[in-house]
Amino acid sequence: MRPTRKLETADAGALPGARLAERLLIVEDDRQLAGALMRRLQSRFDITMISDGASAAELLTRETFGVVLTDIQLPRMSGIDLLRVVRAYDLDVPVIVMTGAPSMETAIAAIELGALTYITKPFAGTKLEEALDRASKLVQIARAKRELLATQGAGSPLAGDRAGLEACFARALEGLWLAFQPIVDARSQRTIAYEALARTTEPTIPHPGAFIDAAERLGRLHDFGRRVRAVAAATFSPPERDAKLFINLHAGDLTDADLFDRNAPLSKLASRVVCEITERAALESVHDVRSRTTALRALGYELAVDDLGAGYAGLTSFATLEPDVVKLDMSLIRNIDESPVRSRIVESIVRLSHELSMRIVAEGIETDGELRQCVAIGCDLLQGYLLGRPAADALPSAARW
Ligand code: G
Ligand code: MN
């Protein structure tokens, strides 16, 4: 039976949208600026002022605010880490990040973590007021939308409805299963590995992205990762007995002790497993990535960089992971046979990777032309619908060329 939906936290439920939107939390350690912000905004907002990140994080897990305005450089916890906490607990409060020292990395991190806007100090003209205005309108729209959805009953979990999201997530974990997609050796044309892809019987979580999104919002990434690894260890039984297993790790999984536990179910298969770590996630957020990847290698795992070329231009994942395998994002592969420019770029990535003793997987191959071009360019391993769709039972690819 579907549990009845309940709006989050008692105080939020009791506040009408307009009043909640007025509750502003300012996190600023510079006293002068804090005072100036207070004077400037107190006629329009019900302001709570906090001077360090950790106290603000703690407060946010207990109380609901309409808008959060935070500095980046703060004592005890940075504004970016605070944003992480906000995303884990309160699901849709708009956060405005302000800084006196803008840098590309913090701006990117802030946007990735869903900051509403990023403003630089000193605040010229009415920029600050405009950002706050926009934020409080968004809160009101979010609440109205939530109410509307609640009157409709079913549907996907509501953004701010933690209880509903928790219930969906629990069912999704319960119904988690893995599809396996063949990865084919370009020379022998044999299936030599399978990538495990998370699926669930829970209808409100339609794809892996939504699954991870829910896990992140609920602060339960580790539970998701553990379940994936346990199910992988229990259900991976390919027809080729020595086939390898490629498994997707989230950057956050690197902080889970279970991953490094010798007695964890997947650890026993480690020498057959390649851990894919996506280029999309910010590895910078993980403390001490180097020693963690070293520990994974010590257990017998190999490492792959996943989704290479999917929009992220940095070299951090390459430099820090020193991967054994590089997986080219399918956006690079799409119509590669019709694009000499893309072919040349991919070819040089392949060549450089080979010089570093890394194997290359071309992902997302859908057509004969793409397949032929990937082989011609020197990709070692091939994956995509043309070679085999993800399936509940690990099935070898039937494709020959
Ligand atoms: O991020 P990652 O590379 O792990 O994601 C793989 C996703 O791509 C899976 O959800 C899988 O179902 C999908 N996929 C696998 N092969 C193909 C393909 O040939 N074409 C498309 N469009 N998607 C694919
Ligand atoms: Mn992958």
Side-chain angles (χ1 to χ4, degrees), residues 147-221:
E147 274 155 28
L148 188 69
L149 283 167
T151 62
Q152 292 168 349
S156 59
L158 312 179
D161 176 7
R162 196 180 164 88
L165 188 60
E166 247 160 19
C168 292
F169 182 71
R171 287 194 300 270
L173 266 194
E174 195 62 35
L176 185 146
W177 60 280
L178 293 175
F180 296 98
Q181 185 176 32
I183 297 176
V184 181
D185 182 83
R187 284 180 188 224
S188 68
Q189 305 193 4
R190 293 224 165 87
T191 300
I192 55 105
Y194 293 84
E195 177 174 358
L197 297 159
R199 303 285 186 262
T200 177
T201 52
E202 167 60 29
T204 59
I205 309 270
H207 52 84
F211 212 153
I212 290 166
D213 189 49
E216 261 178 340
R217 282 162 172 238
L218 294 167
R220 296 192 57 191
L221 254 178

Side-chain angles (χ1 to χ4, degrees), residues 43-367:
S43 65
R44 300 182 34 221
F45 290 93
D46 166 12
I47 300 176
T48 302
M49 185 73 70
I50 297 262
S51 62
D52 77 275
S55 308
E58 202 265 323
L59 184 65
L60 275 162
T61 60
R62 286 189 283 112
E63 283 186 39
T64 305
F65 290 87
V67 188
V68 177
L69 180 61
T70 182
D71 191 7
I72 291 204
Q73 275 158 357
L74 287 165
R76 296 178 63 213
M77 179 188 274
S78 77
I80 297 297
D81 287 331
L82 176 64
L83 201 48
R84 270 192 196 101
V85 174
V86 169
R87 289 295 160 246
Y89 283 88
D90 197 325
L91 299 162
D92 54 12
V93 61
V95 176
I96 299 171
V97 171
M98 50 183 178
T99 178
S103 83
M104 208 54 190
E105 291 98 283
T106 49
I108 290 169
I111 299 305
E112 277 179 349
L113 287 166
L116 183 64
T117 29
Y118 186 89
I119 52 180
T120 47
K121 302 180 216 171
F123 315 119
T126 55
K127 237 187 130 196
L128 176 63
E129 278 80 358
E130 278 161 19
L132 284 165
D133 252 355
R134 217 177 129 228
S136 42
K137 288 196 180 102
L138 284 174
V139 181
Q140 291 173 58
I141 292 171
R143 287 184 67 83
K145 210 165 60 183
R146 225 183 285 168
E147 274 155 28
L148 188 69
L149 283 167
T151 62
Q152 292 168 349
S156 59
L158 312 179
D161 176 7
R162 196 180 164 88
L165 188 60
E166 247 160 19
C168 292
F169 182 71
R171 287 194 300 270
L173 266 194
E174 195 62 35
L176 185 146
W177 60 280
L178 293 175
F180 296 98
Q181 185 176 32
I183 297 176
V184 181
D185 182 83
R187 284 180 188 224
S188 68
Q189 305 193 4
R190 293 224 165 87
T191 300
I192 55 105
Y194 293 84
E195 177 174 358
L197 297 159
R199 303 285 186 262
T200 177
T201 52
E202 167 60 29
T204 59
I205 309 270
H207 52 84
F211 212 153
I212 290 166
D213 189 49
E216 261 178 340
R217 282 162 172 238
L218 294 167
R220 296 192 57 191
L221 254 178
H222 289 182
D223 291 328
F224 172 74
R226 286 176 188 200
R227 182 92 187 145
V228 167
R229 295 194 296 277
V231 173
T235 63
F236 182 56
S237 63
E240 311 79 2
R241 297 207 46 203
D242 55 348
K244 293 211 169 192
L245 173 65
F246 281 60
I247 197 153
N248 293 284
L249 288 191
H250 192 278
D253 286 319
L254 291 173
T255 62
D256 185 3
D258 177 78
L259 179 64
F260 304 94
D261 182 348
R262 284 189 181 280
N263 296 315
L266 197 64
S267 301
K268 308 210 164 80
L269 303 179
S271 59
R272 282 177 67 190
V273 177
V274 181
C275 297
E276 298 187 9
I277 300 179
T278 180
E279 272 247 298
R280 295 170 207 262
L283 272 179
E284 297 82 34
S285 63
V286 180
H287 176 67
D288 214 3
V289 176
R290 266 307 180 103
S291 64
R292 292 171 199 276
T293 54
T294 305
L296 283 178
R297 288 208 160 90
L299 285 168
Y301 287 108
E302 286 189 290
L303 297 180
V305 167
D306 199 6
D307 308 317
L308 186 95
Y312 179 73
L315 284 173
T316 26
S317 51
F318 246 93
T320 43
L321 295 178
E322 292 188 24
D324 306 283
V325 178
V326 173
K327 299 192 79 178
L328 299 174
D329 191 68
M330 62 183 85
S331 60
L332 292 179
I333 305 304
R334 193 63 56 244
N335 299 321
I336 189 164
D337 48 321
E338 286 160 19
S339 165
V341 176
R342 187 121 38 88
S343 279
R344 238 190 358 262
I345 297 169
V346 172
E347 200 173 355
S348 67
I349 296 176
V350 171
R351 185 169 34 79
L352 291 166
S353 301
H354 283 165
E355 284 170 15
L356 295 167
S357 307
M358 299 168 182
R359 279 164 291 149
I360 293 267
V361 184
E363 279 189 316
I365 296 176
E366 291 182 355
T367 67

